[in-house]
Amino acid sequence: MQRQMNAWVVNLSLAVLAALLFLASLYVGRGGELLAHKFALIAETDPDIARLVLMEVRLPRALLGCLVGATLGLSGAALQGLLRNPLAEPGLIGASGGAALGAVLVFYAGLAAGTAMFVPVGGVIGALAALGLLYLLAGRNPAIVTIILAGVAISAFSGALTSLALNLSPSPYAALEIVFWMLGSLTDRSMAQVWFVLPFMGLGWLLTASTWRALDALSLGEDTAATLGFSLRSVTLRAILGTGLAVGAAVSVTGVIGFVGLVVPHLMRPLVGQRPASLLLPSALGGAALVLAADLAVRLPVDGPELKLGVVTALLGAPFFLWLILRTRREAS
């Protein structure tokens, strides 16, 4: 009972934190400037302009911060539970690499100049193609190790093709556009892009969350889970497909935002315990809060170009990853 109360307190606290950061994302501008007063002044002279800026510029950025952060946190927690590996993260299964490749090919073909919607469409197609290839390589009843190896191979091949597209880019401006997109960002996104990726993310969340009981059983071993009536094939299919759909959609619209899916579950474990099921919701809320906070951090510099979100999360996540490796080594020795 006490553990359940603690979980409710943690989840409620994280939800409040994410809500506050969401509001801050709406009303904090470059250099940490508060924009509420400016919105009020604009609304006095032209309410339509104020509403347009808020709904079509500020709101998509804040919503995508929540959606992408929740996706990465939830997917990271689910994969770590499924693979029984604390170093697992959403990019492991190859969907994010496929999404990045699909979006890069849109840039390479010059289709992005027509409409911004071609980029997420290409990214989602790339993610779905990567998932299809994953199951072709892994087979009908794959072992966990086979899935990991197939995912690593797909990620490596996608990265190689992405580098090839950069190498053969028709102009330095196109190459620069591709590189900037791959660094990850929430700026200049629209509500049309939010509505496009939301169904893929929602379906991915449902599939991933449906494995919560099985993930607890798998922590006791595959044989124990099978004895309790859980099909490893079904659980693996739902977790991988759900993660691939949600993460692929996220990458298709924001670019690559790394380390969130790895770091957040580890930050949540001391608060809610080691059970994979109890980690899913806190990781989703914590991921949303972390991405929103990082997106606020990129706005702090007053001068110079705005930092890219993927750069900030990498600067935060890479030292944590190294610390995690060193701690794992100490525990193994």
Side-chain angles (χ1 to χ4, degrees):
M1 186 66 178
Q2 182 64 35
R3 181 178 297 174
Q4 291 179 347
M5 288 297 295
N6 289 339
W8 276 106
V9 170
V10 169
N11 289 327
L12 181 60
S13 300
L14 289 170
V16 171
L17 176 61
L20 292 174
L21 289 168
F22 179 85
L23 291 175
S25 181
L26 288 176
Y27 292 107
V28 174
R30 192 68 185 271
E33 179 186 9
L34 294 178
L35 303 177
H37 180 62
K38 287 189 175 181
F39 277 123
L41 291 176
I42 296 173
E44 290 178 0
T45 57
D46 195 334
D48 292 335
I49 293 295
R51 188 180 304 110
L52 181 66
V53 171
L54 184 62
M55 300 301 294
E56 296 297 330
V57 178
R58 310 296 303 183
L59 185 61
R61 182 169 185 168
L63 284 175
L64 283 175
C66 281
L67 296 175
V68 171
T71 291
L72 296 175
L74 175 65
S75 300
L79 285 181
Q80 289 178 16
L82 176 70
L83 304 178
R84 281 88 75 194
N85 187 338
L87 300 181
E89 55 94 23
L92 190 64
I93 60 174
S96 58
L101 175 61
V104 165
L105 290 178
V106 170
F107 282 111
Y108 182 79
L111 298 176
T115 172
M117 286 303 300
F118 281 136
V119 177
V121 169
V124 168
I125 292 174
L128 293 176
L131 287 174
L133 182 58
L134 176 69
Y135 271 91
L136 283 177
L137 292 174
R140 293 179 58 85
N141 193 20
I144 295 296
V145 174
T146 305
I147 291 175
I148 294 175
L149 292 175
V152 170
I154 292 171
S155 294
F157 188 57
S158 299
L161 291 179
T162 300
S163 299
L164 180 63
L166 276 170
N167 186 223
L168 299 178
S169 182
S171 74
Y173 300 105
L176 189 62
E177 189 177 20
I178 292 172
V179 170
F180 276 177
W181 181 87
M182 290 180 62
L183 291 176
S185 177
L186 300 176
T187 58
D188 300 326
R189 303 311 190 257
S190 67
M191 285 302 299
Q193 292 170 312
V194 174
W195 289 119
F196 174 74
V197 299
L198 189 57
F200 295 99
M201 289 184 177
L203 179 58
W205 296 342
L206 290 175
L207 287 171
T208 304
S210 69
T211 64
W212 67 283
R213 290 184 181 275
L215 292 179
D216 275 353
L218 279 172
S219 66
L220 303 175
E222 294 181 12
D223 293 336
T224 303
T227 302
L228 294 173
F230 294 104
S231 168
L232 181 60
R233 179 183 176 185
S234 173
V235 173
T236 302
L237 176 64
R238 282 179 283 149
I240 298 298
L241 182 58
T243 296
L245 284 174
V247 173
V251 171
S252 73
V253 76
T254 64
V256 180
I257 300 175
F259 290 101
V260 175
L262 172 66
V263 170
V264 171
H266 286 281
L267 295 177
M268 295 299 109
R269 278 194 184 91
L271 302 177
V272 298
Q274 299 294 323
R275 288 179 53 240
S278 65
L279 196 61
L280 296 181
L281 181 57
S283 294
L285 294 172
L290 179 60
V291 170
L292 286 170
D295 188 49
L296 287 171
V298 305
R299 311 175 199 182
L300 293 180
V302 178
D303 300 320
E306 186 177 279
L307 293 174
K308 294 296 183 180
L309 182 59
V311 175
V312 174
T313 58
L315 288 173
L316 294 174
F320 180 87
F321 187 64
L322 294 174
W323 171 82
L324 187 61
I325 293 174
L326 293 175
R327 191 186 72 171
T328 303
R329 285 181 56 189
R330 287 198 303 268
E331 291 175 352
S333 61

